Amino acid sequence: MSNEGSNAWVSAFPACLFGAYRMAVAFKDCVTVIHGPVGCHFGPNFIEIASNNTLFNAYSSAIRDRSVIYGGIQNLKRTINTIRKYYKGKKVIVLSAHVPSVIGDDLSEIDADICIDCGSFEPMWYGMEKFLEGLWELIEKKGEGKREQAERKNLVNLIGFQRDVVCAEEDLAELKYILRACGIDVNVIPEEMRRLGEAKNANLNVVFGYGVRLAERMRHEYGIPYIVAEYPYGYEGIRRFVAKIGEYCEISERALEKVFNEIMQKLRYYRNYLHLFYELPVFIAGDLPRVSGMSKFLTDELGVDVECSYIKCKSIANYDVESAELVYDKDAFAQKLSFETEFESSAKTMEISRGEDKPESAGLECERGCFVLFGTDEERKILRDTIVFAFPSFTRFSFVPYLGRGVLNLIADIYERAVKWLY
């Protein structure tokens, strides 16, 4: 899933198309069509099904070699007609791949609700941004024109939340639960196309790393402010998140305290084990909004030592990750992991080193020392028990949240990896 020698993580297939695809398939009331050869469809569709094998809402126009000469529009029209026939009431999203862009296929007359040209070799985050920005026309079309600030509801738009990551649906449900308990209505973009018209009635846009261009357009046209948010892991993380939203929306303080007391009651279960986390070396790999939120939680609330963070994908550097050294190169990150840490030295002194009594053939994992690694499927090559929390994450199945009341699940996963050094 990465290119050797590259300083930034990119997918092996067209990254701009893949980024747009990740956002497009989040619409529950839409069918996505990749306009291009079958190869352009295989990679993204494989990732979608691997992430959630109950999904299958994407198709390909399957243009052939002859389309390079005669054009692929007829293939696309036949595909859309078939979808309209068998998926009554569904909206159609068309993502144009590289070949149609090269041959100049004109998508202006296509019977689709959204058409996005993804025929570039920009990184994945660019495709995510481009697709979300493309929703602007639908938001404008479905709404009723400009309206005054006084007409706004107590509504927040959550933009760019990644729904194809392990625990994502459960995490999103937790955010909705907390905000709605405080009296705030939530509109997720993308989730349902029919609700896009409500977006302009929001008090605030909350951008989870991707969707800044869309938020800028809405700020300029409708005066809706926006914040770029990291994923709010932990008790303090969710407190900061809600407090920031509270600067723009009316929040029921009584209901808010009830929610936080519920989280605190759960956290009391692990208070006697806090010493196990102190100065535990941790390495994190993932996209910037997740790494930033996780780094703050681990450092501020558990007292672990986040030694290094590997940023694989980012749109803008609006995040504060002061607690860790940031690297953007995969080889540099792997080299960091090879250094013997102070924690490992202590473990060897106590004769509980991880590599003790293990054959040399055990490989890289035995040599890395004692640490907890948060990352993606790629990091499993370094450490098999990596806590996979960022994209891609299809080697792990989990249906419990990490955000909000799910913080105890996150702590439990770290705890399991920390105590094994003691036994």
Side-chain angles (χ1 to χ4, degrees):
M1 297 292 292
S2 63
N3 294 343
E4 294 297 330
S6 173
N7 290 331
W9 180 84
V10 294
S11 57
F13 32 83
C16 177
L17 172 64
F18 186 41
Y21 181 89
R22 289 184 62 197
M23 290 290 105
V25 294
F27 276 115
K28 297 178 180 179
D29 53 354
C30 297
V31 175
T32 303
V33 179
I34 294 182
H35 179 41
V38 291
C40 291
H41 171 263
F42 171 78
N45 193 235
F46 169 76
I47 295 294
E48 178 195 11
I49 295 174
S51 299
N52 184 346
N53 59 14
T54 65
L55 293 177
F56 193 81
N57 62 344
Y59 295 86
S60 171
S61 62
I63 63 176
R64 307 296 180 182
D65 293 345
R66 63 178 179 272
S67 300
V68 176
I69 300 174
Y70 300 107
I73 292 297
Q74 292 304 317
N75 290 60
L76 179 58
K77 287 182 177 179
R78 283 194 293 268
T79 302
I80 292 176
N81 288 339
T82 303
I83 291 172
R84 297 285 190 197
K85 179 179 179 180
Y86 291 102
Y87 291 86
K88 301 294 185 181
K90 291 277 190 178
K91 307 297 184 182
V92 176
I93 300 172
V94 173
L95 304 178
S96 181
H98 292 74
V99 173
S101 296
V102 171
I103 63 180
D105 276 355
D106 182 10
L107 305 180
S108 60
E109 301 300 323
I110 293 298
D111 177 27
D113 296 275
I114 305 176
C115 287
I116 304 291
D117 183 1
C118 303
S120 70
F121 289 92
E122 300 290 345
M124 182 171 63
W125 69 261
Y126 181 86
M128 298 166 75
E129 282 281 357
K130 188 170 185 177
F131 178 82
L132 290 170
E133 185 182 20
L135 298 178
W136 162 253
E137 293 185 4
L138 281 177
I139 293 174
E140 190 176 33
K141 179 180 178 181
K142 288 177 178 290
E144 299 177 354
K146 296 184 178 181
R147 73 274 168 285
E148 301 298 327
Q149 174 72 26
E151 298 175 359
R152 292 179 183 170
K153 305 174 183 178
N154 204 34
L155 173 68
V156 169
N157 294 321
L158 302 183
I159 301 176
F161 193 95
Q162 298 176 47
R163 306 180 70 127
D164 54 356
V165 178
V166 64
C167 305
E169 292 295 337
E170 291 73 22
D171 283 340
L172 184 57
E174 278 297 307
L175 289 183
K176 288 181 178 179
Y177 166 77
I178 292 171
L179 293 176
R180 287 171 178 168
C182 300
I184 299 174
D185 193 13
V186 179
N187 184 25
V188 181
I189 302 174
E191 185 174 61
E192 294 179 286
M193 191 174 289
R194 64 181 180 85
R195 291 202 63 188
L196 287 179
E198 302 176 23
K200 61 173 66 178
N201 297 319
N203 292 63
L204 177 69
N205 285 325
V206 178
V207 179
F208 287 96
Y210 311 99
V212 175
R213 294 179 179 179
L214 174 60
E216 278 284 356
R217 293 288 295 272
M218 295 179 70
R219 182 188 63 81
H220 181 265
E221 294 293 332
Y222 303 123
I224 303 175
Y226 72 91
I227 60 173
V228 181
E230 61 198 10
Y231 286 79
Y233 295 104
Y235 179 83
E236 290 300 325
I238 201 70
R239 262 197 178 277
R240 289 192 298 266
F241 180 75
V242 175
K244 190 66 177 178
I245 293 177
E247 297 177 10
Y248 304 89
C249 301
E250 296 179 7
I251 288 181
S252 169
E253 294 293 339
R254 186 175 179 180
L256 182 60
E257 286 305 315
K258 182 179 179 181
V259 171
F260 285 136
N261 287 339
E262 187 178 351
I263 298 174
M264 186 56 70
Q265 288 294 329
K266 291 181 176 292
L267 293 179
R268 289 178 180 174
Y269 289 112
Y270 84 93
R271 61 185 176 183
N272 293 330
Y273 303 100
L274 276 175
H275 63 283
L276 293 175
F277 301 105
Y278 293 156
E279 298 185 357
L280 175 70
V282 173
F283 295 75
I284 309 177
D287 55 319
L288 195 50
R290 288 188 182 275
V291 167
S292 178
M294 184 63 73
S295 178
K296 287 180 181 177
F297 162 68
L298 294 173
T299 304
D300 299 343
E301 300 187 42
L302 293 187
V304 306
D305 182 14
V306 180
E307 295 198 351
C308 186
S309 295
Y310 172 33
I311 307 304
K312 292 186 161 191
C313 185
K314 69 187 183 81
S315 56
I316 55 175
N318 265 31
Y319 305 94
D320 175 21
V321 197
E322 294 181 349
S323 59
E325 178 183 353
L326 299 181
V327 298
Y328 292 86
D329 182 82
K330 181 176 65 174
D331 295 333
F333 183 66
Q335 187 178 10
K336 285 284 183 183
L337 295 180
S338 68
F339 294 155
E340 182 178 280
T341 65
E342 186 175 331
F343 186 89
E344 181 185 13
S345 300
S346 301
K348 285 182 177 179
T349 302
M350 297 168 63
E351 296 183 347
I352 57 170
S353 173
R354 178 169 194 158
E356 187 178 66
D357 300 327
K358 291 190 178 182
E360 294 183 4
S361 60
L364 185 64
E365 185 175 340
C366 296
E367 302 172 4
R368 292 310 186 192
C370 302
F371 59 83
V372 176
L373 177 57
F374 283 86
T376 70
D377 292 328
E378 277 204 312
E379 278 62 57
R380 285 195 186 274
K381 301 173 185 176
I382 300 175
L383 190 67
R384 282 193 294 271
D385 64 353
T386 293
I387 300 177
V388 177
F389 83 118
F391 182 86
S393 59
F394 54 82
T395 61
R396 179 187 175 204
F397 278 104
S398 179
F399 302 99
V400 297
Y402 273 177
L403 297 180
R405 294 169 298 176
V407 63
L408 203 62
N409 301 319
L410 175 57
I411 293 172
D413 283 346
I414 304 171
Y415 174 81
E416 290 178 4
R417 288 153 177 81
V419 298
K420 68 181 178 182
W421 305 112
L422 302 177
Y423 299 96

